[in-house]
Amino acid sequence: MTQPRTLTLAGPKPAPPHVLTLGDLLGRGVSGLPVLVLLALALALATDTFLTGTNLDNLGRQVSIFAIIAIGQLLVILTAGIDLSVGSVVGLSGVIAATVVFEATAGGQVVLAVLLALLAGAVVGAVNGLLVAVLKMPAFIVTLAGLGIARGATLLITGGRTVQPLPPAFQAIAGGTTLGIANLIWIMLIVAAAVAFALRRTVWGRYVYAVGSNAESARLSGVPVRPVLVSVYAISGLLAGLGGVLLASRLGNGVPTSGTGYELQAIAACVIGGASLFGARGTAIGALLGAVIVGLLNNGGTLLGIDPFWLQIAIGVLILVAVGLDQLNARRAAEA
Amino acid sequence: MTQPRTLTLAGPKPAPPHVLTLGDLLGRGVSGLPVLVLLALALALATDTFLTGTNLDNLGRQVSIFAIIAIGQLLVILTAGIDLSVGSVVGLSGVIAATVVFEATAGGQVVLAVLLALLAGAVVGAVNGLLVAVLKMPAFIVTLAGLGIARGATLLITGGRTVQPLPPAFQAIAGGTTLGIANLIWIMLIVAAAVAFALRRTVWGRYVYAVGSNAESARLSGVPVRPVLVSVYAISGLLAGLGGVLLASRLGNGVPTSGTGYELQAIAACVIGGASLFGARGTAIGALLGAVIVGLLNNGGTLLGIDPFWLQIAIGVLILVAVGLDQLNARRAAEA
Amino acid sequence: MSPVVSLTSVRKTYGPVVALDGVDLEVLPGEVHCLAGENGAGKSTLIKVLTGAVARDGGGYAVHGRDMGPRPTPAQVRGAGVGVVYQELSLLPELSVMDNLLMGRLPHRFGVVSLGRQRAAARELLDRVGLRAVPLDAAVGGLGTATRQLVEIARVVGSGTDLVVLDEPTTALSEREAAALTDLVRGLRDAGTAVLYVTHRLEEMFAIGDRVTVLRDGRHVTTRPLEGLDEPGLIAAMVGREITQLYPGTRREPGPVRLEVRGLHPVGFPAPVDLAVRQREIVGLAGLLGAGRSELLHALFGAAPVQAGSVLVDGAAVPLRSPRTSMRHGIGLLTEDRTESGLLPELSIRENVTLPTLPRAARAGVISSRAQQSRAETAVAGLRLRHGGWDDPITSLSGGNQQKALLGRWLGTGAKVLLLDEPTKGVDVGAKSDLYRIIADFAEQGLAVVVVSSYLPELIGLCDRIVVLRERTVAGELAAADATEHRILELASPRREETPQ
Amino acid sequence: RAAAGGPSDPAAAAGQAPVAGSRIDVIVKATDSEFWQSMMAGSEKAGADLGVQLGLFGPTSETDIAQQVSLVENSISRGAEAIVLASNSSTALDDVVNRARAAGIRVITVDNAIGAQSEGFIGTDNVKAGQQAGQRMCDLLTRQGNPAGKVLHESAVSGVQVLIDRFEGFRSGLAAGCPDAQIIQTLVNGNDLNTAVGQVNDALTRTPDLAGIFADNNTSGTGTARAVGGSGRADALAVVAFDSDPAEVEAVRSGAIDAILVQNPFFFGYQGVVEAAMALQGSTPPVNLDPGAVLVDASNVGDPALAALLDPPTTTG
Ligand SMILES: Nc1ncnc2c1ncn2[C@@H]1O[C@H](COP(=O)(O)OP(=O)(O)OP(=O)(O)O)[C@@H](O)[C@H]1O
Ligand SMILES: Nc1ncnc2c1ncn2[C@@H]1O[C@H](COP(=O)(O)OP(=O)(O)OP(=O)(O)O)[C@@H](O)[C@H]1O
Ligand SMILES: [Mg+2]
Ligand SMILES: [Mg+2]
């Protein structure tokens, strides 16, 4: 073989020496961390209740379900899709789990109930995914229809009534603690770690980014685009289902309207955490941080006793500031 | 100057003779018409009330406000943006108009009220647009923050109370008829025709598509990208403001929570009408048809007396079928 | 020797457009088989059929004598040993270089990517194309065009294929990089790999090609060894007519200064740049990959930030505010990367061509369809644009024709100063000679023209003066009469640290 | 009657000084509804009278149960000493209320009884109030000579216990006097006034011989009034609605609505804070206080005694 000539890239800048940065640990495109730290600091200074164990425990419980749903949403967003059905899936899986344990007496039913609820979430997600991947329908429409259908099914199953009381064994899932930390928080951390690992280190994870970057190029490179898409929607549904089970367990009720409006919050968490709705940008940890930031704003508002109307405005402004700062930061980094 | 050579269209096929098609009138990318016709036909056969003058008048009134908001939304979507604030702007402008006429005695106040309300909508939109165009923040986040801020402001202005009673002169805007057809319907048709014309035939309209297709290419071709973006969000806000005024007039009340959730419906109408959330695809008439289809499903559901839980499911399924058919159609056309 | 791939009587239509009509092709192991033809002749379509990117309408397709069936998928074709570098790059911009290089075949254990093996494999692939300085973790979208092109080539060449298909791989490369690539292709051939090579650079074909297949209007014209064929003969086969003179040749008498650049200091440049271009003058900008030619053009078009300096057209200062302002002052810029910053993919050919001049086809903001149509037709007059209908999306054009449409966009503005960044990228010989003549005609009418090209014969043949950039500074200037490829390259090459001998 | 009457004597509740300065949080069902705003206004009045530190909170939607759980948790974190809670669910807040009580916080529940123990409950029995509505509907139908008429159910939200109770009561109240009347359709407007108007319009089109409409809250009521008023069929249609807001009261005056059932949210708020203060002081508030609902129709809508009930003061905290 001929010796290829070396190509020299002209230009004054040599590649910078590789120093380990936070970005390496968290993956490219994590934002929100500075904002989070700032917010937490401000709250710690402004109130004497923020940094108490009870409040942090409360905050963790409040955020966990949103974060789990947001992480599922993130997967879909990474493929340049969107999943509007997650809020309704939360309701659906919640009442399915509640209905199963409600009618049960045996303890094993809790496991069955959870599995059935998760399955329901995954099936709704997989159907969304099939319509998007195979029939090439716009994700927005498919999942908007899914939103209506899943909510309608939830109301039908329950006749519009709340399913309760639920047995203590079921309520213990969300209510219990392990090693002194609420189960909800553990579950959130496990989900975040698992998805973060899968995205950063597995072949499937790279495929997800590839599909979101350019589906056609990915296809030509041999990426199984359709299975990847279906898997992503199915997992989003599965995690929304998990969120639903946890919510039902936390509330001790299968409430048919629960989860309403969660879809926008989940998407917002992803975008605040640095995801792009055009795909291929974003990380699981970013989505988690995004959910925590939104949770913190709500928690802080109550702790400070802010008028709810003003709080609504303040949260809007803070989201703008958070994302705006992030944007400036990124631009400065790009120019440096 | 050199004599330019005549253009030779090489290749075996001469350009096909130009026959006027529906597409020429409506612009490329209008979908939904076949679905609409089918739906209307089905309803006309299934009920004896659908084709009555009263019902069509009702339907037109119900649809008109949504359609106006959807057309504004479409402009934003054409630039690959999204406007989640429209629902809150509906509320804001509605209570502004209501507050002004409520406190007024003179007749001229109605005009002032409408102008102030429209101005408020346009200002919210323009601020959204500036943040998106100049600070390059993601439209989803900017307008989500706008959603919260505008709703908070609405509740603050009214203290959360409904503003009423409103004078007959104000209620006559939406309630009145002209040449036997409801004013609401006229206004919707005028807005649709004006935007359709602007998009198809004006320089500004082509710029909107160019920005949505590839903002960088557009900028390098001398398109004033930022002004176009700001204008598009401002008009979306203006039309949402118009929707808010009409809603307040129709309801005879300035309801601070009105318009909640309209953003998703407006986006759905655009997508059902053939718009792509990735920009540069979609038409004003398409958005109008999309809004009519959604309105028809609700109207038909009530006329047929469908159980509300089932109706929710049925609407979801029908939206899927409508868009799915459209997709198949488009694909068949592309392959032919 | 049995062919690696054989296509027989392949047919492919896009709606009314017949892109391929009964084309035969056989590529043998260890040969470099060139594919030649005008823009839109069907070369890229043939390649897409070959790789399964589009389904053919008729005809047979076999790899190593094994029938591939009517609709092979890209994965099947790749599995059978056929790898492609597409004309329109198919990289994943948000992903890292190393992910791009190995996408679809990431080394893994139980689904978990083995980063060490991936790094090693990626390094090896880059080494093969001589791309050593690129960080493996850099996002591909942030790299320069040429670097991206090389990454794409590295990806395909390294994947252990029996047939490597290269669709115009050198259009974005400078002479030197192109030469490195040619070496690489020879190496592949010598190792027994078959290569199907598409290029519009004739001398490249003669340098490395063994056989050539010529297509015209979607039909097979001839397949024959390149030996014994000369350039005019090949051109005649491709174009169906004689092209006697590629470059215009006649020299114009330059007039007064039209474009003056005074102390322009684009952000990122070590020093300000001065440049003056007279009426009726064509000035070339030469330099290696990343020398700053495109950046300089963007800066003086108001499209990139500058620290200081001014630009004057006919003595009047042009505020460096936005491309729109510069355009109003009579400057036009044809960009280098048409997918990224040229095309409006959803819009029609007509819209794409007339976008900068829309206000002039309008009265009170309302466009006159007739005025727009006539502007579009005038703009591409003489470019031999091969297209279906004016309302078709621009993406339905072949690569070269897209380039012509974009050139037409600026010719139609009646600009006083034309900045052309790689204007003949992907344009066939016939059209190239047309383009050169058109550029020369425009200069003749008094325009000042600046041409960036990595194809040195073109710069030498077309320009009156050549300014050479090196590492974002002006390294020197050559009059056309004195310019040789050697002298240009000497100026363009980076200076090593002076070491006392 | 409790609904129109004054709350218990605050001075008696306050007793000795310790109540002043204590922290009481009031959590309503939704902050953007006038009904709950007047409850907050009542709380504020009591708070001022007693000199307690008041926090007023609520989720943005009555269907948002999880948010309410969070608010109670946040109140625990804030170190509230007592909570007045109008729960969005009969059972879902049990756990968090138990946690609050375990932390020594006194809890008074309002409007919606919950499973968990509390120091006291103030609320209307919605089934009973629904029965009142059903009986009035039957009366109206009978007066029109159409006791077997068709009735539409216009509902705000599916799956909310209070609304379910009201409809259950309505159904039994109607069936008691008019066993042949039929409820033909339930429509759900999602608490959107515009949707409610459209739905009732469509229902009027569909069923030209519709005899009555039952609207289960103020949005449904106002929307119904709007559609009925516009259709010119106000005289022929019997309309009974729940709750009151100015538009609904106006509709009673104009005849578009025949009767509304009104509760006294201002009283809920005032009494809730007073009972919370009592509990903090160690005295025992009444276990269950049912102020009932007042039926307002054309005959008594102008009654000055009802003015405060029909247009109560509101606040957002
Ligand atoms: N997706 C498409 N839709 C419609 N027509 C198409 C499409 N792709 C290619 N064509 C047409 O098919 C013909 C052949 O195009 P092709 O891209 O194969 O040309 P080419 O020989 O590669 O030209 P170039 O040298 O310019 O790259 C052209 O007329 C082109 O307009
Ligand atoms: N050393 C480098 N390494 C990687 N990218 C570079 C380097 N220098 C410049 N670039 C980027 O490459 C692109 C091309 O640079 P520029 O257009 O100025 O050079 P050029 O002389 O036109 O070369 P070409 O267009 O052939 O790449 C720019 O986007 C620039 O930011
Ligand atoms: Mg090609
Ligand atoms: Mg360049």
Side-chain angles (χ1 to χ4, degrees):
Chain A
M1 216 178 175
T2 346
Q3 196 61 15
R5 297 188 211 166
T6 329
L7 179 84
T8 37
L9 284 175
K13 297 217 183 62
H18 200 68
V19 184
L20 199 74
T21 64
L22 195 69
D24 281 329
L25 292 175
L26 300 176
R28 255 177 297 137
V30 164
S31 0
L33 205 57
V35 174
L36 188 62
V37 171
L38 230 81
L39 263 178
L41 222 79
L43 277 174
L45 290 178
T47 71
D48 46 4
T49 42
F50 175 72
L51 276 187
T52 58
T54 347
N55 189 54
L56 294 181
D57 180 54
N58 280 343
L59 182 63
R61 286 166 195 257
Q62 288 161 25
V63 160
S64 54
I65 293 172
F66 279 118
I68 289 169
I69 300 167
I71 290 170
Q73 181 76 251
L74 174 84
L75 294 175
V76 174
I77 288 179
L78 283 178
T79 65
I82 195 163
D83 189 349
L84 297 176
S85 71
V86 289
S88 293
V89 170
V90 165
L92 179 65
S93 65
V95 302
I96 287 179
T99 310
V100 175
V101 290
F102 178 69
E103 282 162 8
T105 41
Q109 291 298 83
V110 170
V111 177
L112 179 69
V114 172
L115 288 182
L116 277 177
L118 296 184
L119 184 70
V123 167
V124 173
V127 172
N128 284 337
L130 282 171
L131 291 174
V132 170
V134 180
L135 293 191
K136 307 227 181 307
M137 291 171 66
F140 188 92
I141 282 300
V142 168
T143 59
L144 185 69
L147 182 158
I149 294 172
R151 184 65 68 194
T154 308
L155 290 166
L156 268 184
I157 290 175
T158 56
R161 285 161 185 277
T162 298
V163 182
Q164 60 89 25
L166 305 183
F170 181 72
Q171 299 200 34
I173 302 174
T177 61
T178 305
L179 302 178
I181 293 182
N183 288 351
L184 278 176
I185 300 178
W186 282 117
I187 297 174
M188 164 181 82
L189 292 177
I190 291 169
V191 167
V195 174
F197 177 82
L199 281 178
R200 306 240 317 125
R201 293 298 314 278
T202 69
V203 173
W204 174 82
R206 305 324 296 166
Y207 283 175
V208 170
Y209 284 94
V211 169
S213 178
N214 183 336
E216 179 61 11
S217 298
R219 184 178 75 94
L220 294 176
S221 307
V223 173
V225 175
R226 289 177 185 188
V228 168
L229 280 175
V230 175
S231 72
V232 152
Y233 283 87
I235 295 177
S236 174
L238 180 79
L239 289 181
L242 176 60
V245 170
L246 294 177
L247 189 58
S249 164
R250 174 165 150 85
L251 298 178
N253 279 260
V255 185
T257 55
S258 69
T260 307
Y262 284 18
E263 53 281 351
L264 283 187
Q265 301 207 33
I267 300 168
C270 293
V271 180
I272 291 174
S276 153
L277 293 178
F278 295 96
R281 280 179 211 280
T283 61
I285 308 298
L288 176 69
L289 292 182
V292 175
I293 289 177
V294 175
L296 214 56
L297 290 175
N298 280 307
N299 178 263
T302 322
L303 292 186
L304 293 171
I306 298 176
D307 171 299
F309 298 167
W310 276 112
L311 183 61
Q312 209 165 346
I313 297 182
I315 290 183
V317 172
L318 275 171
I319 287 180
L320 280 184
V321 171
V323 177
L325 279 183
D326 207 77
Q327 206 77 9
L328 281 183
N329 237 352
R331 229 193 289 175
R332 204 160 332 127
E335 272 165 22
Chain B
M1 230 206 173
T2 348
Q3 197 59 17
R5 298 192 209 163
T6 347
L7 178 82
T8 39
L9 286 174
K13 296 259 156 48
H18 200 70
V19 185
L20 199 74
T21 64
L22 195 69
D24 281 328
L25 291 174
L26 300 177
R28 255 178 298 138
V30 164
S31 2
L33 205 58
V35 175
L36 188 62
V37 171
L38 230 82
L39 263 180
L41 223 79
L43 278 175
L45 291 177
T47 70
D48 47 4
T49 41
F50 175 71
L51 277 186
T52 58
T54 347
N55 188 55
L56 293 182
D57 181 54
N58 276 343
L59 181 64
R61 286 168 195 259
Q62 287 163 26
V63 160
S64 54
I65 293 172
F66 280 118
I68 290 169
I69 301 166
I71 290 170
Q73 181 75 252
L74 174 83
L75 294 174
V76 173
I77 287 180
L78 282 178
T79 64
I82 196 162
D83 189 350
L84 296 176
S85 71
V86 290
S88 295
V89 170
V90 165
L92 179 65
S93 65
V95 302
I96 288 179
T99 311
V100 175
V101 290
F102 178 69
E103 282 163 9
T105 40
Q109 292 298 82
V110 171
V111 177
L112 179 69
V114 172
L115 288 182
L116 278 179
L118 296 185
L119 185 69
V123 167
V124 173
V127 171
N128 284 338
L130 282 171
L131 291 174
V132 170
V134 180
L135 295 191
K136 308 227 182 308
M137 290 171 65
F140 189 92
I141 283 299
V142 167
T143 59
L144 185 69
L147 182 159
I149 295 172
R151 183 66 67 195
T154 308
L155 291 165
L156 271 182
I157 290 175
T158 56
R161 313 196 56 171
T162 298
V163 182
Q164 67 89 37
L166 304 182
F170 181 72
Q171 299 201 33
I173 302 174
T177 61
T178 304
L179 301 178
I181 292 180
N183 288 351
L184 277 176
I185 299 178
W186 281 117
I187 296 174
M188 165 182 80
L189 292 177
I190 291 168
V191 167
V195 174
F197 177 82
L199 281 178
R200 307 240 316 125
R201 294 295 312 279
T202 68
V203 173
W204 174 82
R206 305 324 295 168
Y207 282 175
V208 170
Y209 284 92
V211 169
S213 178
N214 183 336
E216 179 62 7
S217 297
R219 184 178 78 99
L220 291 172
S221 301
V223 173
V225 175
R226 287 177 186 188
V228 167
L229 279 175
V230 175
S231 72
V232 151
Y233 283 86
I235 296 176
S236 174
L238 179 79
L239 289 180
L242 177 59
V245 170
L246 294 176
L247 188 57
S249 164
R250 171 166 149 87
L251 300 177
N253 279 269
V255 185
T257 55
S258 67
T260 307
Y262 285 17
E263 52 282 350
L264 284 187
Q265 302 206 32
I267 301 168
C270 293
V271 180
I272 291 173
S276 153
L277 293 178
F278 296 96
R281 281 180 210 282
T283 62
I285 307 298
L288 177 69
L289 292 182
V292 175
I293 288 176
V294 175
L296 214 56
L297 291 176
N298 281 305
N299 176 261
T302 316
L303 290 186
L304 291 171
I306 298 176
D307 171 293
F309 300 164
W310 278 112
L311 181 61
Q312 209 163 348
I313 297 181
I315 290 183
V317 172
L318 275 172
I319 287 181
L320 280 183
V321 171
V323 176
L325 280 182
D326 207 77
Q327 207 75 10
L328 280 184
N329 236 354
R331 229 193 292 175
R332 205 164 325 132
E335 272 165 22
Chain C
M1 210 170 2
S2 68
V4 182
V5 301
S6 61
L7 293 170
T8 41
S9 316
V10 164
R11 188 180 157 80
K12 173 71 195 173
T13 56
Y14 290 106
V17 179
V18 182
L20 292 176
D21 189 4
V23 174
D24 297 320
L25 179 72
E26 276 190 354
V27 186
L28 305 173
E31 80 162 338
V32 175
H33 193 119
C34 295
L35 200 53
E38 284 183 290
N39 293 134
K43 304 180 294 293
S44 295
T45 306
L46 187 66
I47 287 170
K48 285 181 188 155
V49 166
L50 201 64
T51 60
V54 301
R56 61 188 190 275
D57 300 334
Y61 177 16
V63 177
H64 291 304
R66 213 159 43 77
D67 184 41
M68 293 299 287
R71 275 177 174 256
T73 65
Q76 282 167 351
V77 172
R78 220 174 40 141
V82 177
V84 218
V85 176
Y86 287 100
Q87 182 174 11
E88 303 304 330
L89 293 189
S90 57
L91 291 171
L92 305 163
E94 288 87 357
L95 274 67
S96 69
V97 169
M98 109 182 149
D99 281 344
N100 265 286
L101 284 171
L102 293 158
M103 186 51 64
R105 53 199 169 91
L106 293 163
H108 64 92
R109 177 172 301 191
F110 307 120
V112 177
V113 178
S114 315
L115 285 181
R117 270 152 70 202
Q118 190 189 1
R119 276 184 183 282
R123 239 327 128 225
E124 196 190 315
L125 292 178
L126 288 180
D127 280 352
R128 285 228 205 155
V129 295
L131 202 55
R132 296 232 157 82
V134 177
L136 292 177
D137 295 308
V140 157
L143 302 176
T145 313
T147 318
R148 266 185 279 172
Q149 178 92 45
L150 289 172
V151 170
E152 171 109 3
I153 293 168
R155 177 170 78 142
V156 170
V157 161
S159 59
T161 49
D162 301 331
L163 171 64
V164 173
V165 182
L166 298 163
D167 194 358
E168 304 195 36
T170 52
T171 38
L173 303 188
S174 69
E175 292 287 298
R176 184 176 281 227
E177 295 141 19
L181 180 77
T182 316
D183 285 350
L184 187 74
V185 170
R186 280 204 197 94
L188 284 172
R189 178 190 60 191
D190 296 345
T193 309
V195 176
L196 183 63
Y197 196 91
V198 181
T199 182
H200 288 296
R201 294 187 184 175
L202 299 186
E203 67 281 5
E204 247 171 52
M205 293 196 217
F206 287 104
I208 57 167
D210 297 310
R211 289 197 300 160
V212 62
T213 290
V214 179
L215 300 181
R216 197 192 309 150
D217 291 342
R219 290 196 198 87
H220 182 252
V221 176
T222 176
T223 298
R224 50 172 298 177
L226 271 155
E227 234 172 34
L229 194 66
D230 59 359
E231 283 205 16
L234 181 54
I235 292 173
M238 286 164 60
V239 184
R241 66 192 156 107
E242 293 272 324
I243 295 200
T244 45
Q245 195 185 12
L246 191 55
Y247 300 106
T250 54
R251 296 290 157 185
R252 298 157 302 274
E253 206 41 54
V257 172
R258 180 129 238 191
L259 169 72
E260 194 175 357
V261 178
R262 282 196 205 140
L264 186 74
H265 194 165
V267 171
F269 273 50
V273 176
D274 292 305
L275 181 71
V277 185
R278 295 159 173 275
Q279 288 192 11
R280 290 194 286 282
E281 196 181 24
I282 304 175
V283 170
L285 273 186
L288 299 181
L289 154 77
R293 298 164 299 173
S294 303
E295 279 168 80
L296 180 61
L297 291 195
H298 273 78
L300 80 87
F301 189 53
V306 294
Q307 288 169 326
S310 55
V311 170
L312 297 90
V313 173
D314 289 339
V318 180
L320 293 172
R321 203 181 301 141
S322 67
R324 186 173 176 77
T325 315
S326 306
M327 201 182 89
R328 288 212 178 121
H329 285 79
I331 308 180
L333 168 68
L334 175 72
T335 53
E336 175 183 17
D337 185 329
R338 59 173 175 264
T339 30
E340 209 159 86
S341 55
L343 297 176
L344 301 159
E346 285 87 1
L347 303 195
S348 67
I349 300 169
R350 185 194 300 110
E351 306 278 1
N352 265 280
V353 168
T354 56
L355 189 62
T357 57
L358 269 185
R360 281 183 251 168
R363 184 170 299 185
V366 176
I367 300 166
S368 146
S369 306
R370 200 174 314 147
Q372 191 187 6
Q373 180 64 28
S374 80
R375 282 200 166 268
E377 282 170 15
T378 323
V380 301
L383 293 180
R384 294 175 199 271
L385 188 69
R386 202 186 124 100
H387 63 56
W390 283 104
D391 282 318
D392 292 347
I394 187 97
T395 44
S396 69
L397 295 182
S398 75
N401 280 302
Q402 290 175 2
Q403 187 70 10
K404 290 187 198 171
L406 292 185
L407 185 64
R409 177 190 284 178
W410 291 109
L411 296 183
T413 59
K416 296 177 194 161
V417 176
L418 276 180
L419 313 173
L420 308 174
D421 201 347
E422 308 282 1
T424 59
K425 189 174 172 182
V427 171
D428 69 55
V429 252
K432 253 184 204 164
S433 81
D434 292 344
L435 281 185
Y436 296 144
R437 189 190 40 72
I438 288 167
I439 292 170
D441 283 351
F442 271 89
E444 187 66 54
Q445 289 158 39
L447 269 72
V449 183
V450 178
V451 178
V452 168
S453 175
S454 299
Y455 185 45
L456 297 182
E458 169 175 298
L459 280 184
I460 295 167
L462 181 66
C463 301
D464 302 308
R465 212 152 39 92
I466 296 169
V467 173
V468 184
L469 290 190
R470 178 180 65 230
E471 295 172 358
R472 296 189 168 92
T473 49
V474 176
E477 189 179 316
L478 297 164
D482 311 332
T484 62
E485 296 191 25
H486 182 74
R487 293 196 60 181
I488 296 175
L489 280 175
E490 219 171 41
L491 281 173
S493 303
R495 290 290 127 96
R496 301 266 166 267
E497 301 280 296
E498 297 288 327
T499 42
Q501 302 246 301
Chain D
R1 282 244 290 277
S8 348
D9 180 13
Q16 308 88 12
V19 175
S22 53
R23 303 172 75 166
I24 300 179
D25 278 2
V26 177
I27 298 172
V28 298
K29 290 189 173 183
T31 47
D32 59 8
S33 126
E34 268 182 67
F35 188 85
W36 300 112
Q37 282 162 16
S38 51
M39 166 163 166
M40 289 195 277
S43 301
E44 215 164 48
K45 177 81 170 39
D49 289 351
L50 298 172
V52 300
Q53 272 188 51
L54 212 60
L56 300 174
F57 304 102
T60 45
S61 154
E62 288 194 26
T63 56
D64 200 342
I65 297 168
Q67 174 68 8
Q68 233 186 1
V69 173
S70 301
L71 289 173
V72 176
E73 286 175 346
N74 290 344
S75 285
I76 301 174
S77 297
R78 271 162 56 83
E81 294 162 65
I83 295 173
V84 179
L85 171 69
S87 171
N88 278 343
S89 158
S90 317
T91 49
L93 279 87
D94 290 355
D95 174 57
V96 73
V97 165
N98 285 332
R99 271 194 273 152
R101 286 164 50 88
I105 299 172
R106 312 299 156 89
V107 179
I108 304 292
T109 50
V110 167
D111 188 53
N112 193 4
I114 64 172
Q117 282 266 314
S118 65
E119 332 304 323
F121 170 70
I122 309 155
T124 308
D125 182 338
N126 277 294
V127 178
K128 241 194 263 172
Q131 277 167 351
Q132 268 179 282
Q135 281 155 14
R136 174 53 65 100
M137 177 63 75
C138 179
D139 292 347
L140 291 164
L141 294 180
T142 314
R143 207 173 306 155
Q144 286 168 7
N146 194 5
K150 295 175 178 167
V151 177
L152 169 74
H153 174 208
E154 179 69 28
S155 176
V157 195
S158 302
V160 170
Q161 196 56 45
V162 167
L163 299 184
I164 292 170
D165 288 348
R166 287 176 183 176
F167 184 54
E168 208 163 87
F170 175 81
R171 200 202 291 268
S172 69
L174 179 65
C178 301
D180 296 328
Q182 31 169 333
I183 298 168
I184 52 158
Q185 198 172 8
T186 293
L187 295 171
V188 182
N189 56 50
N191 240 335
D192 182 59
L193 192 49
N194 189 35
T195 308
V197 177
Q199 285 178 341
V200 176
N201 270 331
D202 290 344
L204 291 174
T205 306
R206 173 178 179 237
T207 318
D209 57 342
L210 193 70
I213 301 176
F214 170 61
D216 64 6
N217 81 341
N218 56 334
T219 304
S220 305
T222 307
T224 301
R226 209 64 212 158
V228 170
S231 72
R233 283 161 69 179
D235 291 342
L237 274 166
V239 179
V240 179
F242 254 91
D243 299 342
S244 78
D245 66 26
E248 225 181 348
V249 174
E250 186 53 40
V252 174
R253 291 207 173 91
S254 75
I257 295 182
D258 294 290
I260 50 177
L261 279 127
V262 185
Q263 302 177 74
N264 190 345
F266 188 85
F267 173 80
F268 286 175
Y270 196 99
Q271 182 66 18
V273 171
V274 169
E275 290 191 12
M278 286 169 71
L280 281 177
Q281 256 197 334
S283 54
T284 321
V287 175
N288 189 342
L289 188 66
D290 184 355
V294 181
L295 202 147
V296 178
D297 59 16
S299 68
N300 64 353
V301 69
D303 189 342
L306 289 178
L309 180 66
L310 292 179
D311 192 13
T314 60
T315 184
T316 63

